[in-house]
Amino acid sequence: MFKLWQFGGGVHLDTHKTESTGRPLRDAGLPEHLILPLQQRGTSTAKPVVAPGERVLRGQLLARDENPLNPPIHASTSGIVKAIEDLPLPHPSGLPGPCLVIEVDGEDEGLAQEPMEDVRDLPVEELRRRIHEAGIVGLGGAAFPAAVKVDPGARRRIDTLVLNGAECEPYITCDDSLMRHYPDDVLGGAEILLHILGAERCLLGIEDDMPEAIAALEAAKASGGYERIEIVPVPAVYPTGGEKQLIKVLTGREVPAGGIPADAGIVCQNVGTAAAIHRALVHGESLTSRIVTVTGPGVRKPQNLMVRIGTPIAHLIAQCGGYTEHAQRLILGGPMMGLALPSDELPIIKAANCVLVAGSELVTGEKQALPCIRCGECATTCPVNLLPQQLYWYSRADNLDRAVEHHLADCIECGCCDFVCPSHIPLVQYFRAAKAQVTARQRERDKAAHAKTRFEFREQRKEREKLEKAESARRKKELLERVQNDAS
Ligand code: SF4
Ligand code: SF4
């Protein structure tokens, strides 16, 4: 019996998983066009290496960036580059950003792949480089570059790989579907990650309400002989799938505040990321598709679809029988942490695990927020042991320093506090806004510090040049005097 730990707080939620798992996984097919945002993370934008009018093949490199946090982008099918232009991005703001648009030709012609016999034939640095070149980011929703995450630095020793299969948000079942249908890719990816990290064991945490996925993984483990990988069912309490919470449940270790799992000797990857790494290194495939759950009361046939990255959401809705009369709002992600989208013309990006078409029961914003009654429920349920009520007061009063002192940055935006608040205060909205303000303020401070350093550097240079000039004049004068003395 594997020993499990507990994290504080959390909530039991109606899972709504069977709506999408009741239908088989199937391919979403080819849309008419793909939209690939060039800005994937932060403000860094990948530069296109193709031009409008050019024909591209599936797997072909389309854009790249020097910034390692912005991995390369590849074509998800064959077609003609139609445009490189600003289009709305899959974000609640709907603000535009540079995108590459491909008119799909229906041939689905791909580049020749280079399968590999044994990844251990290559140095670890080369494996990391290939993970980056394949455009792999964390598929659990955060989209952090996988190659950066598997390079924890020489100072940190990693003994444990944690694979996150605890898909704890209601409605989302793409990881469940992946583990049921591609258990060998998941476990093969885990073996590769163990090799890269030099770790001893892998703990694959999976919620105990996914019996089919557990059985598929156990069968793959038995036939593949993955002895260092332990498949560990964990209780279905939200947010067990949070990185720090899952690490606590599986290992009892705490990731230090402001730190990363590697500080506790652990690297955590989503099961989808492990499978993508396996496909990339063993089969030579770049990340051009992923499983997406399309679900909710607003869609006729909820299901999991294998989707080409860049496919417009409208195409997926059509594949699922269209909208129902209950459709009220499109959410990218789950009901707890997802982001409302303004349109179904927006594309599926690598981080998109779920398109939730919410009905009225999920659209919580309409509830009138009442004054805080200081009941303390939010603090009891917070899995990070924060004081949401205090954070709310400070965020509302724009007292960012106090919010930061109360560990605003540690908030994982899980929404547990919102969920239990009897006054229906949209706490997470306040925290997101406060975090954005803190980031903007830090950026301004960095800019000011940079300008100050440049000014001081210029002043020092001017002073140095002045001294050098004076010294040179003195030497010249001295030389002249010596010449004159010699002449007389
Ligand atoms: S749960 Fe809501 S009402 Fe209760 S203390 Fe927290 S913010 Fe206030
Ligand atoms: S959203 Fe933040 S403050 Fe609220 S419960 Fe989750 S971690 Fe705690």
Side-chain angles (χ1 to χ4, degrees):
M1 184 82 179
F2 193 89
K3 176 172 168 47
L4 294 176
W5 281 262
Q6 268 187 332
F7 62 88
V11 287
H12 289 274
L13 300 169
D14 289 340
T15 60
H16 291 285
K17 305 271 191 182
T18 50
E19 283 92 325
S20 52
T21 54
R23 290 190 175 83
L25 169 70
R26 65 180 191 84
D27 198 303
L30 297 174
E32 286 176 9
H33 64 276
L34 299 170
I35 302 169
L36 297 152
L38 298 176
Q39 194 176 311
Q40 297 183 75
R41 205 180 161 79
T43 52
S44 185
T45 302
K47 314 269 173 309
V49 296
V50 292
E54 207 172 309
R55 181 164 191 256
V56 293
L57 303 180
R58 177 170 33 82
Q60 184 174 333
L61 177 71
L62 298 178
R64 63 178 316 123
D65 188 3
E66 290 308 310
N67 187 341
L69 295 177
N70 199 6
I73 297 165
H74 303 82
S76 328
T77 186
S78 57
I80 306 289
V81 179
K82 199 167 133 195
I84 300 170
E85 59 186 351
D86 280 0
L87 290 172
L89 299 177
H91 187 267
S93 69
L95 284 173
C99 296
L100 206 144
V101 184
I102 295 177
E103 198 171 73
V104 172
D105 64 12
E107 303 292 322
D108 199 24
E109 197 181 335
L111 284 182
Q113 288 157 0
E114 293 175 29
M116 207 189 296
E117 278 296 306
D118 190 344
V119 296
R120 281 164 297 195
D121 291 343
L122 289 176
V124 163
E125 292 72 34
E126 174 61 14
L127 296 176
R128 285 199 200 104
R129 192 191 67 77
R130 289 193 185 200
I131 291 173
H132 175 79
E133 290 302 321
I136 298 175
V137 297
L139 298 187
F144 191 80
V148 176
K149 208 168 183 183
V150 296
D151 189 5
R155 278 188 310 110
R156 298 185 179 106
R157 202 185 92 68
I158 304 299
D159 59 54
T160 303
L161 166 70
V162 166
L163 274 202
N164 193 343
E167 195 167 43
C168 59
E169 268 228 54
Y171 285 100
I172 308 178
T173 58
C174 59
D175 289 346
D176 184 355
S177 180
L178 174 90
M179 291 185 283
R180 288 185 196 199
H181 294 93
Y182 299 97
D184 293 305
D185 279 339
V186 174
L187 300 187
E191 272 298 334
I192 293 171
L193 287 165
L194 283 171
H195 170 65
I196 293 176
L197 295 165
E200 289 133 31
R201 59 171 182 167
C202 168
L203 304 176
L204 193 162
I206 177 168
E207 290 209 326
D208 56 12
D209 58 359
M210 300 183 190
E212 291 89 349
I214 294 171
L217 288 167
E218 288 292 2
K221 178 175 147 81
S223 64
Y226 298 104
E227 281 164 16
R228 294 188 294 168
I229 303 173
E230 185 100 37
I231 294 148
V232 190
V234 295
V237 178
Y238 180 80
T240 304
E243 189 172 73
K244 293 181 180 177
Q245 286 67 42
L246 185 61
I247 287 171
K248 171 78 183 180
V249 169
L250 291 176
T251 68
R253 296 184 205 170
E254 303 270 358
V255 177
I260 58 171
D263 296 325
I266 292 167
V267 164
C268 182
Q269 290 281 12
N270 169 264
V271 284
T273 318
I277 286 172
H278 188 253
R279 302 295 313 172
L281 295 188
V282 176
H283 301 283
E285 292 173 14
S286 299
L287 179 56
T288 57
S289 59
R290 65 159 299 149
I291 300 178
V292 179
T293 307
V294 183
T295 187
V299 67
R300 273 186 210 292
K301 295 178 187 166
Q303 60 196 285
N304 281 294
L305 296 170
M306 184 63 84
V307 178
R308 313 289 172 131
I309 307 294
T311 301
I313 290 170
H315 176 83
L316 304 186
I317 301 293
Q319 294 293 309
C320 294
Y323 293 111
T324 68
E325 64 282 12
H326 304 295
Q328 292 226 351
R329 185 175 294 171
L330 269 181
I331 296 172
L332 191 64
M336 300 298 281
M337 298 179 76
L339 301 171
L341 293 181
S343 149
D344 62 9
E345 284 307 310
L346 296 163
I348 289 297
I349 50 175
K350 292 175 184 176
N353 51 6
C354 176
V355 173
L356 173 61
V357 191
S360 55
E361 72 289 354
L362 280 175
V363 180
T364 53
E366 280 74 5
K367 282 185 186 153
Q368 179 72 40
L370 301 169
C372 171
I373 55 169
R374 297 176 183 272
C375 64
E377 283 296 315
C378 51
T380 311
T381 198
C382 177
V384 193
N385 298 325
L386 300 177
L387 296 171
Q389 178 199 350
Q390 292 301 113
L391 284 175
Y392 163 60
W393 292 120
Y394 296 134
S395 302
R396 220 183 117 157
D398 275 340
N399 193 342
L400 297 179
D401 288 330
R402 293 292 282 156
V404 169
E405 277 168 32
H406 278 72
H407 307 290
L408 173 69
D410 287 340
C411 168
I412 57 170
E413 299 175 22
C414 66
C416 287
C417 49
D418 267 23
F419 183 76
V420 298
C421 177
S423 295
H424 310 303
I425 300 170
L427 295 159
V428 182
Q429 280 184 32
Y430 282 99
F431 305 155
R432 279 193 186 134
K435 280 184 182 179
Q437 274 178 278
V438 170
T439 307
R441 192 178 67 170
Q442 191 54 45
R443 210 175 291 135
E444 283 307 310
R445 283 183 180 164
D446 290 347
K447 256 165 74 181
H450 187 60
K452 187 166 172 259
T453 310
R454 278 176 48 190
F455 174 77
E456 286 170 356
F457 184 72
R458 200 172 62 228
E459 289 303 298
Q460 280 170 7
R461 181 169 50 79
K462 276 159 74 180
E463 185 61 25
R464 197 175 59 240
E465 285 171 357
K466 206 165 114 190
L467 290 172
E468 283 170 0
K469 232 167 153 179
E471 176 63 11
S472 160
R474 189 188 64 73
R475 283 218 198 102
K476 267 189 200 157
K477 193 173 162 212
E478 218 176 74
L479 188 66
L480 197 64
E481 283 170 2
R482 217 178 301 138
V483 170
Q484 283 170 350
N485 287 343
D486 289 350
S488 58

